[in-house]
Amino acid sequence: MADKDAGTPRVFLYRHGETEWTKNGRYTGITELSLTEQGEKQVLASGKMLVGRGKLIDPSKLAHVFVSPRNRAKQTFEIAFSEEDRTVLSGKGKVTETTKLAEWDYGIYEGLKTKDIRLLRKEHGLDQEKPWDIWRDGCEGGETAQQVTERLDSLIDTIHGLQAGNMNGENPCDVVLFAHGHLLRAFVKRWLKYPMEFPLSMMLEPGAIGVLSYQHHNISEPAVLVGVGFPLEG
């Protein structure tokens, strides 16, 4: 069957590599942590396989790279792309650090694990009927689901502006997002126009790359690119 969607712009979701808190399931929002040695290896492995000239994420085909302001995301970008490619992209104004990609602000839940958060909320008289769900309930002292929705929708509008006139590959128009586990999964929900509380189960490993695109070369038909074909090098 012919590939009817060939040339359609893509959005690559690049999660930062492992940190010490990633390993033990602690919620990491504003806390600045560096990647572990294993985290650096995860990003380097993904980058070597998928980032570079003639590879899936080809710097010459990028319209923009958006990076979370957290150090672990910036470190991931620096490892994934060569210094030469980073310099060229930055020189062309194609790299933006943005708080719209910062991890969910967990408020008083920062550094806690899910079980501890649920116990704390019970102590606060919350969740008497249903257990805490961040997608529905947000975080005490941090962000609500609606606040995260608003900043992601704003970023999605920006991305649509970059890609809308290039739905058949007229110009290099892929986008890469360097960010975090919860935030990138939230981005997928909003990309697909689902509310945050929509029960869409997703997994994204540290250092892993997800892919979004559009059906039928149509900006109004955002989609998850479930299967990805890999270009031949050379």
Side-chain angles (χ1 to χ4, degrees):
M1 183 174 68
D3 183 359
K4 64 181 183 302
D5 292 319
T8 308
R10 298 162 296 184
V11 177
F12 297 103
L13 315 178
Y14 210 135
R15 184 184 177 188
H16 67 75
E18 176 192 85
T19 68
E20 286 297 330
W21 284 14
T22 303
K23 290 195 298 184
N24 54 31
R26 296 171 68 182
Y27 282 69
T28 318
I30 61 174
T31 303
E32 292 290 18
L33 296 174
S34 297
L35 304 185
T36 62
E37 182 179 349
Q38 175 63 17
E40 293 180 6
K41 290 179 180 178
Q42 290 168 337
V43 175
L44 185 60
S46 297
K48 280 188 173 181
M49 181 175 293
L50 300 178
V51 180
R53 304 288 169 167
K55 296 183 180 179
L56 184 66
I57 303 177
D58 188 329
S60 69
K61 296 180 179 179
L62 294 180
H64 215 86
V65 178
F66 294 96
V67 186
S68 161
R70 300 284 81 86
N71 288 338
R72 55 197 183 275
K74 293 190 286 187
Q75 188 180 359
T76 297
F77 171 51
E78 292 169 0
I79 295 172
F81 280 80
S82 70
E83 182 177 359
E84 178 184 357
D85 286 335
R86 294 198 312 273
T87 299
V88 170
L89 288 166
S90 296
K92 293 181 178 180
K94 291 186 174 184
V95 180
T96 298
E97 182 180 311
T98 175
T99 56
K100 293 176 184 178
L101 278 179
E103 180 60 294
W104 200 305
D105 183 347
Y106 297 124
I108 66 172
Y109 306 154
E110 182 80 5
L112 301 181
K113 299 179 181 180
T114 299
K115 64 178 182 179
D116 300 318
I117 294 170
R118 287 178 171 165
L119 286 173
L120 180 63
R121 287 177 64 88
K122 288 287 187 182
E123 293 173 4
H124 292 174
L126 301 171
D127 309 330
Q128 299 304 310
E129 297 182 1
K130 295 180 180 179
W132 174 69
D133 181 344
I134 190 171
W135 308 106
R136 180 188 64 236
D137 304 318
C139 302
E140 293 177 88
E143 285 185 296
T144 65
Q146 182 58 35
Q147 288 172 319
V148 176
T149 294
E150 289 171 0
R151 62 182 169 100
L152 289 181
D153 284 359
S154 175
L155 179 58
I156 289 170
D157 286 344
T158 298
I159 294 171
H160 285 341
L162 292 170
Q163 296 182 331
N166 301 281
M167 299 306 289
N168 292 281
E170 292 87 347
N171 294 295
C173 220
D174 287 342
V175 168
V176 188
L177 311 181
F178 284 90
H180 313 269
H182 257 129
L183 196 283
L184 289 174
R185 285 179 286 153
F187 185 93
V188 173
K189 288 189 177 186
R190 294 310 302 149
W191 183 262
L192 297 175
K193 305 178 182 180
Y194 293 145
M196 284 294 187
E197 65 269 21
F198 185 83
L200 182 65
S201 296
M202 293 174 283
M203 299 172 65
L204 186 61
E205 297 177 349
I209 299 172
V211 192
L212 303 174
S213 189
Y214 308 86
Q215 293 189 86
H216 311 124
H217 303 280
N218 189 341
I219 196 76
S220 298
E221 296 186 54
V224 173
L225 194 51
V226 176
V228 182
F230 293 90
L232 291 172
E233 291 188 67

